[in-house]
Amino acid sequence: VQTETPDFLALLEVLVTHDVEFVIVGAISAVLQGAPVMTFDLDIVHRRTEQNVARLLDVLANLDAAYRGHPNKGLSPGREHLLGPGHQLLTTRLGPLDLLGAIEDGLTYSELVESAITMKVDEFEFLVLPLKLYVDLKARSPLEKDRARLPVLRETLKMNLNSED
Amino acid sequence: MADKEAAPIERSPTDSGVDPSLIQWFMTLTPSERLRVVQNYIRSVQKIRRANRDT
């Protein structure tokens, strides 16, 4: 189902052109803000309304989305999964896509949208988790992989702040 | 004697081991260029892994 190499831009464009409301979180949000970190998937927090989930389901069908590593190949999330706070870890023909109903501290789309920044990527605009908030959340993470990234994230944040002065 | 201006610039990593020049370079790119760098990196890793698998 999945292509060899993820195409994050194409994945984001499909979501935006289908009017899916979401905030980019995870390592890609840090990459967009200048942090040279590596990731293999795109994490987004989607708005959990009936209308938005319906649009998201259309996109997933379009992208041949299926649960990653699931023994039942081709199994994809349904409406009730996307309306809940859980994490749906998927493969798509444009690369791995993680749909997160909520992230650390139980933050949902409604809360994240308040602090999200708008970034222009090519001709599209996306809502992105601010680097400062990403660093704050990861600093409290018990996961080693999150903590390993902190020095480069903090240094990037410092440089971002300096360049704004 | 080497020209002082042409001498390479030596930089030390931060105390945490981060190379600030890498971040400085990454920040000169546009957001879409940054995404492409990540994608190209993944492509390279996959190419190397494939080459080693096939030998």
Side-chain angles (χ1 to χ4, degrees), chain A residues 4-9 28 31-36 38-40 119-122 151-152 155-156 159-160, chain B residues 14 16 18 20-27 31-32 34-43 45-46 50:
Chain A
E4 268 290 289
T5 309
D7 190 338
F8 298 121
L9 275 173
I28 290 291
V31 167
L32 287 170
Q33 290 165 88
M38 205 40 62
T39 184
F40 286 77
M119 289 194 79
K120 201 167 173 2
V121 184
D122 288 348
V152 71
E155 194 62 29
T156 307
M159 288 191 184
N160 267 331
Chain B
T14 61
S16 56
V18 174
S21 66
L22 190 60
I23 300 172
Q24 279 162 357
W25 161 72
F26 206 59
M27 283 173 65
S32 59
R34 293 169 191 163
L35 282 183
R36 287 194 183 95
V37 168
V38 174
Q39 288 170 195
N40 289 340
Y41 176 86
I42 297 171
R43 190 172 293 125
V45 169
Q46 286 169 333
R50 211 169 27 243

